[in-house]
């Protein structure tokens, strides 16, 4: 099974960048600025949230895989230097 980093790069980095910083000019937020809990992030990735209606959903990603992506989001956040 792919790592959280690999899946993040495959599904998320196109919009949120490899560093997770997002793209301010396109209205894409950093992955670590939401303040969401783990279960909320899993829900957002798999089925969406009306508050984040521009975010695509990925129902094909299993819960296990989604949890790996969320783990990687926490790694990205903890490695920030700014």
């Amino acid at each position: 099974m792919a790592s959280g980093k690999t899946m993040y790069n495959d599904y998320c980095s196109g919009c949120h960048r490899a560093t997770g910083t997002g793209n301010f000019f396109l209205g894409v937020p950093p992955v670590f600025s939401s303040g969401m809990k783990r279960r909320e992030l899993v829900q957002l990735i798999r089925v969406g949230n009306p508050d984040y209606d521009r975010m695509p959903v990925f129902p094909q990603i299993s819960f296990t895989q989604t949890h790996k992506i969320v783990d990687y989001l926490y790694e990205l956040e903890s490695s920030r230097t700014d």
Side-chain angles (χ1 to χ4, degrees), residues 11-26:
Y11 292 101
C12 313
S13 67
C15 294
H16 293 283
R17 297 185 179 176
T19 58
T21 56
N23 189 329
F24 175 80
F25 295 108
L26 295 178

Side-chain angles (χ1 to χ4, degrees), residues 3-56:
S3 71
K5 179 179 181 177
T6 298
M7 289 184 289
Y8 173 85
N9 286 331
D10 289 346
Y11 292 101
C12 313
S13 67
C15 294
H16 293 283
R17 297 185 179 176
T19 58
T21 56
N23 189 329
F24 175 80
F25 295 108
L26 295 178
V28 178
V31 296
F32 26 76
S33 69
S34 72
M36 291 181 159
K37 295 179 177 155
R38 176 177 295 276
R39 65 179 165 71
E40 294 170 317
L41 289 167
V42 169
Q43 179 84 3
L44 176 64
I45 293 167
R46 294 203 72 240
V47 297
N49 179 320
D51 293 336
Y52 299 92
D53 60 349
R54 292 183 57 212
M55 164 102 177

Side-chain angles (χ1 to χ4, degrees), residues 39-80:
R39 65 179 165 71
E40 294 170 317
L41 289 167
V42 169
Q43 179 84 3
L44 176 64
I45 293 167
R46 294 203 72 240
V47 297
N49 179 320
D51 293 336
Y52 299 92
D53 60 349
R54 292 183 57 212
M55 164 102 177
V57 295
F58 301 95
Q60 72 276 20
I61 303 174
S62 72
F63 280 105
T64 301
Q65 291 170 313
T66 308
H67 279 279
K68 285 186 172 191
I69 293 170
V70 171
D71 288 342
Y72 183 67
L73 297 179
Y74 283 100
E75 287 179 36
L76 278 176
E77 183 175 19
S78 68
S79 67
R80 287 179 41 198

